[in-house]
Amino acid sequence: MVIEILGEALKLMVLAGLTIAGILVILIWKKGLATRVTYLRFVIQAAALATFFYIFTYPIWLLIMLIVILAMSIVFGRFFCGWLCPFGLYMDLITVARKALKIRHRDLPDRLNKFLHNLRYVLLLVFLLLPAVLLLMDPLPSVQLGIVLAEVLGGPFKPMNILLGPIIPLIVPWAGPLVIGDVNFSYPYVQDIIGYTNGIYATIFPLIFVVLTVVGSFAIRRVWCRFCPTGASLAVVNRFKGFKWAPALHLEKDEEKCTKCGICKRVCSVQVTDVYEQKGGKIDTSMCMLCLRCVEMCPYEGCLKLKIGGKTIFKSRNWLKPSDSD
Amino acid sequence: MISQQKKYMIEISQKEIEELRNSVKATSRKVMAENIARMKKTSKNRPKAMEYFDEVADLFGKREKEIQAAKESGKKVIGYMCLFAPTEMILAADAIPVRVNSGWYDTSKLGDRVVPVEVCPVIRSTIGAKMIGLSPYLELSDALISVLTCDGMTKLGEILSDYKPVWAMPIPRVKDLPQSLRFWREGLLTVKGQIEALTGNKITRKKLKSAIEKTQKATKAFRRLQELRKGNPVIMGRDAMLVNQTYMWDDITRWTEKTEALCDELEEKVRRKEWSCSLDAPRVMVTGTPMIWPDNWKLPTLVEEGTPQGVLVADELCSSERLLYDPVGVDEWTMDDMLNAIGERYLMASTCPCFTSKDGNADRINWMLNKIKEWNVQGVIYYVVRGCMSYAMEYTRIKKVLDGINIPVYYLDTEYTREDVGQMKTRVEAFLEMLTARIDI
Ligand code: SF4
Ligand code: SF4
Ligand code: SF4
């Protein structure tokens, strides 16, 4: 009973949230405040969270989501990470809390950051291949395609679950594996951890994981995104010849306008250094999640641009320019 | 054994000091008045808002008295020689920042008594100004921040320490090494401690934040002015340079207001199409050694009063457009990030030739290319005073790049003297002539 009421209440809250988000987006566009990317991003992230929240109950949709996310990343890079991923929003909100407390974040050493970044591809590969390997080691009696598929997608190491981890909405009253009080919490990856453990460990490990990610992202911005397998992206294809066209949505830098002031490097929440270090031209690092914080903060008009195909959709402004709003 | 006497400065009798000061001051007053009169005459439709800047440009006038009064009420004054000094920290400690480099020709001769004439005249002139107590801002400073940029500046701080506490701030000469920013940041922290000790005011997070916001506003006004120079000339280059330069000693909040007011007026002029000179005047950019008010105004004067007349639309001078172009970009308003932001603003964005990097001083080249394109510059004058090694040496590379984009560049070397004006005039006018001819084609 309580659970149902809570569930209904949450649904209503989400609906209200969606409406408010929609109104906000319209207002922001109207006022020409769209340049305040940081706020716009929160609104869109919230809307995305609500959407995921709803489709979460339909597994087939989740499968489609996964395909869309992976396919999208070929053309749009990690746009998903910057703007849509609920786990990303969650970490961003922790960052907001930290900022409110006036506590400074820590940075990972650049080399470790790069290492984690590369490790991600290994993780991705492992998760994708494990079911197949297990299948080979322990072949099924019948090789009917349906069973194979079920095994691959739903077997002991469900790649779909792992990859969808970040988009698991954080509170799902009816499906969460972790019960605290009357409310079920669904936290990314927790379900899988519980699946691999049992007894008391099935509670302790998920809790440790939750605490680690909370503390981790409090200290280090977007800590999970540094090695998240779902975040693997355009660079996977971009590394191969003939795929240079792939990242249609990308950042570009004007060499002559860049004063190498270093702001873009400092403000990036996943510590991308390429925007700063690259002399100019197309920036195609797969570390970048296209959150556009650097474009927003670069103080030189037109120095950084977000382009799709040949068209500029957003560019850095002289944010010191007297605007109508002040 | 090293005795306690002055390390460098020679003893001069009080009487001689007085005499010299009075005579140099008298000349300087004349020069300032004359410069302003000529600026008024050259500029068509000179904005009314310039009157304020004409007034604060008087080095021995209103601003000196204000600082004097502030000092009497207990405020401290902190002077600095290079624009790397963290103005925000000085402001946050409720002290007054002033830049004290000297532009007086006459005092450079006096400086010859302490250092050989091969030394850069900006340095000699500052030493000379100190010998006779000429510069009000240098005299009023309670301490000096000496940023160890070029060799001259490095030793200048040492020499001036004969009179005042001097806080040396070493810079890393290679900007893009991983340790550079860390090193510079440590230096900032040291200076922060020194400022706090001198003023007795702690630089808190809140105070530093409001100081940063203050300079950001100044940058905003400053950039607005430079933006207005992109189109048809609506303000003469010398007037803009004077506005830029008064920032070095004026009250920053007031300066910001006045500059915004000036920009409002200029925008109005753009609307009414009231230009400050003929639209045919070649658009010139100067780069090189800093040019400092009041005496070292000869090159801009020659350009803008020459026949044919040129107009300065942009410059790459640390005494003018580089002063405030780069803002302090704060990500999170914590003490830590503000310090990072201040550190980066002064060090990383600088185009000073004291630096090198993997790619040489590419930052300076990019700055110039951007200015040339956006401000529609037709010719560049590369100005160097004799003894200014780093600017002189970078000429070759800059010329190669500018040749590549077909922008004429003219190397003009001079001294802190009025004697070569005639000869310079011929050279500058020949260059302007050539630019005009090019435009006609
Ligand atoms: S890296 Fe992973 S957790 Fe981070 S935003 Fe992307 S998908 Fe979400
Ligand atoms: S913030 Fe802009 S100007 Fe500064 S280093 Fe980055 S790209 Fe260059
Ligand atoms: S490089 Fe810029 S757009 Fe990419 S993640 Fe960093 S701040 Fe966001």
Side-chain angles (χ1 to χ4, degrees):
Chain A
M1 188 58 199
V2 182
I3 294 173
E4 273 167 24
I5 293 172
L6 252 172
E8 285 307 309
L10 270 168
K11 269 192 197 169
L12 284 177
M13 269 164 61
V14 169
L15 262 184
L18 256 181
T19 320
I20 294 172
I23 295 172
L24 269 177
V25 172
I26 294 168
L27 278 183
I28 287 176
W29 277 110
K30 269 196 111 169
K31 282 208 168 158
L33 293 175
T35 39
R36 301 302 304 168
V37 174
T38 309
Y39 303 127
L40 185 68
R41 210 162 57 87
F42 273 122
V43 173
I44 292 185
Q45 279 175 320
L49 171 69
T51 314
F52 288 124
F53 181 86
Y54 267 112
I55 62 175
F56 195 67
T57 36
Y58 310 104
I60 188 66
W61 273 103
L62 285 182
L63 181 62
I64 294 172
M65 275 306 307
L66 185 59
I67 294 168
V68 168
I69 291 171
L70 292 179
M72 195 172 100
S73 68
I74 295 177
V75 188
F76 297 127
R78 293 177 64 189
F79 177 79
F80 170 80
C81 295
W83 291 76
L84 304 173
C85 174
F87 200 27
L89 168 66
Y90 175 69
M91 285 184 275
D92 285 347
L93 289 176
I94 293 180
T95 301
V96 172
R98 179 180 53 73
K99 276 193 198 170
L101 294 172
K102 305 276 180 307
I103 298 169
R104 177 76 174 153
H105 61 78
R106 319 229 134 218
D107 282 332
L108 291 177
D110 280 343
R111 275 175 57 197
L112 176 61
N113 203 35
K114 291 225 166 73
F115 170 75
L116 290 177
H117 174 68
N118 289 327
L119 185 69
R120 170 173 50 206
Y121 297 116
V122 179
L123 290 178
L124 180 67
L125 214 65
V126 168
F127 284 126
L128 289 177
L129 291 182
L130 247 187
V133 172
L134 289 174
L135 207 67
L136 282 180
M137 280 164 61
D138 186 12
L140 292 163
S142 120
V143 273
Q144 273 175 313
L145 190 67
I147 302 175
V148 174
L149 210 64
E151 188 71 20
V152 169
L153 296 173
F157 294 90
K158 312 172 200 81
M160 179 174 137
N161 261 13
I162 301 278
L163 287 182
L164 279 173
I167 75 160
I168 289 181
L170 294 167
I171 303 167
V172 182
W174 56 85
L178 197 66
V179 188
I180 298 168
D182 269 344
V183 186
N184 294 274
F185 286 90
S186 179
Y187 197 86
Y189 305 105
V190 156
Q191 197 160 6
D192 305 274
I193 299 174
I194 291 175
Y196 304 142
T197 47
N198 47 37
I200 181 81
Y201 297 112
T203 317
I204 290 177
F205 280 135
L207 277 179
I208 291 177
F209 179 76
V210 171
V211 171
L212 273 182
T213 46
V214 172
V215 173
S217 54
F218 189 86
I220 300 165
R221 298 165 296 176
R222 289 272 185 142
V223 70
W224 186 262
C225 303
R226 318 277 175 122
F227 49 85
C228 168
T230 318
S233 67
L234 66 120
V236 185
V237 286
N238 204 32
R239 290 209 171 127
F240 304 109
K241 255 209 175 125
F243 278 95
K244 290 284 171 203
W245 53 269
L249 189 68
H250 61 265
L251 296 183
E252 214 170 273
K253 181 163 109 172
D254 184 330
E255 178 180 356
E256 285 161 18
K257 290 196 175 136
C258 171
T259 61
K260 290 263 164 189
C261 70
I263 290 180
C264 53
K265 189 161 116 186
R266 182 157 40 86
V267 302
C268 177
S269 57
V270 281
Q271 287 173 256
V272 171
T273 53
D274 304 59
V275 178
Y276 169 75
E277 272 156 17
Q278 220 168 291
K279 271 190 164 180
K282 194 171 187 172
I283 288 146
D284 54 10
T285 169
S286 62
M287 256 197 218
C288 167
M289 352 176 265
L290 297 170
C291 74
L292 304 186
R293 176 69 175 155
C294 55
V295 185
E296 177 184 49
M297 284 300 285
C298 171
Y300 306 96
E301 180 114 33
C303 171
L304 286 180
K305 291 189 186 106
L306 175 71
K307 286 196 153 183
I308 183 149
K311 272 189 74 178
T312 303
I313 20 187
F314 179 63
K315 60 178 186 194
S316 57
R317 304 140 299 137
N318 169 7
W319 42 260
L320 294 158
K321 206 179 232 165
S323 59
D324 296 333
S325 56
D326 76 21
Chain B
M1 213 195 88
I2 300 171
S3 63
Q4 285 306 305
Q5 67 193 5
K6 292 207 184 321
K7 297 188 278 295
Y8 284 91
M9 284 295 195
I10 50 167
E11 297 300 335
I12 327 177
S13 72
Q14 202 53 41
K15 191 165 147 274
E16 198 185 347
I17 290 181
E18 296 275 325
E19 275 172 17
L20 282 167
R21 182 170 58 220
N22 291 339
S23 83
V24 177
K25 212 167 171 172
T27 325
S28 180
R29 282 215 158 97
K30 259 214 312 269
V31 170
M32 286 191 285
E34 194 195 312
N35 274 343
I36 288 179
R38 290 172 75 164
M39 281 154 71
K40 281 185 178 154
K41 216 175 107 202
T42 321
S43 172
K44 281 195 267 169
N45 306 312
R46 194 166 189 262
K48 289 209 179 44
M50 278 307 295
E51 271 163 29
Y52 168 77
F53 298 99
D54 296 341
E55 192 190 347
V56 270
D58 182 0
L59 296 170
F60 313 106
K62 171 175 164 171
R63 188 61 186 149
E64 179 184 6
K65 293 193 191 71
E66 274 176 15
I67 297 184
Q68 188 92 51
K71 257 191 93 138
E72 273 153 26
S73 72
K75 272 209 180 194
K76 297 283 182 202
V77 179
I78 298 175
Y80 58 96
M81 265 91 78
C82 269
L83 53 73
F84 292 85
T87 323
E88 288 79 9
M89 287 189 183
I90 302 177
L91 291 171
D94 208 19
I96 302 172
V98 279
R99 190 164 168 188
V100 299
N101 304 52
S102 154
W104 286 290
Y105 287 163
D106 306 300
T107 56
S108 76
K109 303 239 164 19
L110 294 170
D112 293 353
R113 299 196 202 166
V114 179
V115 291
V117 354
E118 285 77 24
V119 170
C120 158
V122 183
I123 306 296
R124 280 186 286 128
S125 171
T126 313
I127 296 173
K130 180 61 235 175
M131 283 161 78
I132 57 169
L134 178 66
S135 160
Y137 309 127
L138 184 49
E139 295 309 308
L140 288 167
S141 299
D142 293 294
L144 296 171
I145 297 180
S146 161
V147 185
L148 311 186
T149 47
C150 62
D151 296 349
M153 286 296 173
T154 306
K155 287 295 139 184
L156 177 64
E158 198 175 314
I159 294 170
L160 293 179
S161 73
D162 272 346
Y163 294 92
K164 291 174 191 286
V166 171
W167 306 328
M169 274 182 93
I171 55 161
R173 299 289 291 264
V174 184
K175 275 196 283 186
D176 53 2
L177 289 177
Q179 65 268 37
S180 299
L181 201 58
R182 251 181 289 142
F183 174 77
W184 174 241
R185 218 188 107 122
E186 285 299 313
L188 280 178
L189 282 175
T190 313
V191 152
K192 179 169 168 266
Q194 283 161 326
I195 296 174
E196 285 174 338
L198 176 83
T199 58
N201 298 330
K202 217 174 139 33
I203 299 177
T204 59
R205 196 189 69 83
K206 278 221 177 79
K207 281 189 181 166
L208 191 56
K209 180 172 185 234
S210 70
I212 289 177
E213 282 166 350
K214 200 185 257 185
T215 54
Q216 279 182 342
K217 282 200 192 106
T219 298
K220 183 164 152 179
F222 180 89
R223 279 197 180 179
R224 192 174 163 207
L225 176 62
Q226 317 313 328
E227 290 287 314
L228 276 161
R229 297 166 72 191
K230 276 186 180 172
N232 288 341
V234 65
I235 181 168
M236 291 308 281
R238 263 182 304 169
D239 290 340
M241 266 173 87
L242 188 68
V243 175
N244 295 349
Q245 209 155 112
T246 47
Y247 173 80
M248 303 197 303
W249 56 82
D250 199 4
D251 174 75
I252 292 180
T253 312
R254 187 176 59 195
W255 181 90
T256 309
E257 279 163 22
K258 297 291 179 183
T259 306
E260 293 282 6
L262 171 67
C263 293
D264 290 341
E265 194 182 337
L266 291 178
E267 267 168 17
E268 189 51 41
K269 283 190 188 299
V270 173
R271 234 167 279 134
R272 285 197 253 117
K273 300 205 172 19
E274 293 177 2
W275 313 121
S276 59
C277 65
S278 149
L279 297 186
D280 299 332
R283 301 167 67 87
V284 180
M285 168 173 178
V286 264
T287 177
T289 317
M291 289 175 198
I292 299 164
W293 179 260
D295 280 349
N296 203 4
W297 217 240
K298 62 181 168 186
L299 176 61
T301 306
L302 286 175
V303 172
E304 301 204 324
E305 290 181 10
T307 7
Q309 185 189 30
V311 56
L312 295 171
V313 290
D315 65 60
E316 193 270 341
L317 299 174
C318 71
S319 58
S320 178
E321 277 186 49
R322 272 180 46 211
L323 267 175
L324 258 179
Y325 188 69
D326 310 301
V328 178
V330 183
D331 181 26
E332 302 180 355
W333 293 97
T334 55
M335 193 53 149
D336 195 53
D337 192 48
M338 283 191 274
L339 287 175
N340 287 337
I342 293 175
E344 280 174 11
R345 176 253 190 267
Y346 287 102
L347 179 73
M348 305 305 277
S350 171
T351 61
C352 177
C354 292
F355 294 108
T356 186
S357 72
K358 265 203 273 330
D359 203 16
N361 195 3
D363 293 358
R364 180 161 175 229
I365 289 172
N366 284 330
W367 164 296
M368 291 187 60
L369 291 177
N370 181 43
K371 285 266 158 174
I372 288 170
K373 283 182 192 158
E374 302 267 321
W375 273 256
N376 198 2
V377 170
Q378 289 156 334
V380 174
I381 296 181
Y382 199 104
Y383 161 89
V384 174
V385 292
R386 257 159 244 147
C388 179
M389 206 47 100
S390 5
Y391 274 113
M393 286 180 80
E394 268 191 10
Y395 172 67
T396 317
R397 184 172 182 198
I398 303 267
K399 176 156 169 54
K400 275 191 176 181
V401 174
L402 295 187
D403 281 351
I405 57 165
N406 206 11
I407 291 288
V409 47
Y410 187 70
Y411 186 87
L412 192 82
D413 58 335
T414 175
E415 245 290 354
Y416 260 32
T417 169
R418 295 181 190 90
E419 276 149 29
D420 62 353
V421 170
Q423 178 246 89
M424 262 172 86
K425 187 171 154 72
T426 326
R427 293 165 71 188
V428 169
E429 287 185 349
F431 184 64
L432 293 172
E433 197 78 65
M434 189 267 282
L435 289 183
T436 322
R438 270 171 65 103
I439 298 164
D440 289 342
I441 297 165

